[in-house]
Amino acid sequence: MPALVMEGVRKVYRSGSEEVVALDHADLVVGDDEMVTLLGPSGSGKTTLLSIAGGLLTPTEGRVVVGDQVVSDLDPRQLTAFRQRQVGFVFQSVNLVPFLTARENLTVVGELAGRPRRETGEQADRLLEELGLSHRAGNLATELSGGERQRVAIGRALMNDPKLVLVDEPTSALDTKMGEAVMELLRNEITGRGIAAVVVTHDTRMTHYTDRTVEIVDGRLQA
């Protein structure tokens, strides 16, 4: 079963009497252990597609399925539960909670999903060790370097063993060397778990870390 299926997905915003088409009849299938790059310039619809796949935005038209869950049919409460349990996000701005430690930024994800505290703590400790951050577990997010914050964000995305990880411009704030290190780490963590990922980027240098590249221009996926 594919990790993600998008069929005829369209997202339209209205501005007065005008329509702005952010995503135009997108069709995309991502295998259950596939890592796909979504490549396109700024404003091309990359983040809109990612947000719809993860249940952060509702499509104007079309069908979205993650695993066996028809996401486009869910109500707001069901979408919240879906995001907590089925999908992991790595946001462009990282979005760590600044007044929490690296470890707490991970454990809060499990706690919000209703997992037992002990299980959540053990999972966080395992991930921090894998990510080379055990020695920084007690540091606040504001005390971490850019690369360390990105690694914590990857760990947070993996906390609830999601079916699909969605990554938005993971290297945009990093230099080339650090960006490559983050992509290598991301690939190792994703493929090592046999889960799927969609990585949004405008940086062609990062596409070789994934299995396949899909281009998007003006809201349209390119065949």
Side-chain angles (χ1 to χ4, degrees), residues 30-52:
V30 178
D32 61 4
D33 61 352
E34 187 179 24
M35 193 170 177
V36 174
T37 294
L38 185 62
L39 180 69
S42 177
S44 60
K46 305 186 303 295
T47 300
T48 298
L49 186 147
L50 210 68
S51 298
I52 290 174

Side-chain angles (χ1 to χ4, degrees), residues 6-14 20-24 47-65 70-80 82-83 89:
M6 304 181 79
E7 298 174 339
V9 175
R10 195 164 184 260
K11 184 64 177 177
V12 178
Y13 296 98
R14 297 192 181 278
V20 177
V21 180
L23 197 62
D24 195 3
T47 300
T48 298
L49 186 147
L50 210 68
S51 298
I52 290 174
L56 293 171
L57 285 177
T58 302
T60 306
E61 300 174 22
R63 188 168 182 263
V64 181
V65 184
V70 183
V71 181
S72 46
D73 288 348
L74 301 180
D75 64 32
R77 177 177 288 186
Q78 291 169 325
L79 280 172
T80 298
F82 161 76
R83 290 191 297 267
F89 294 94

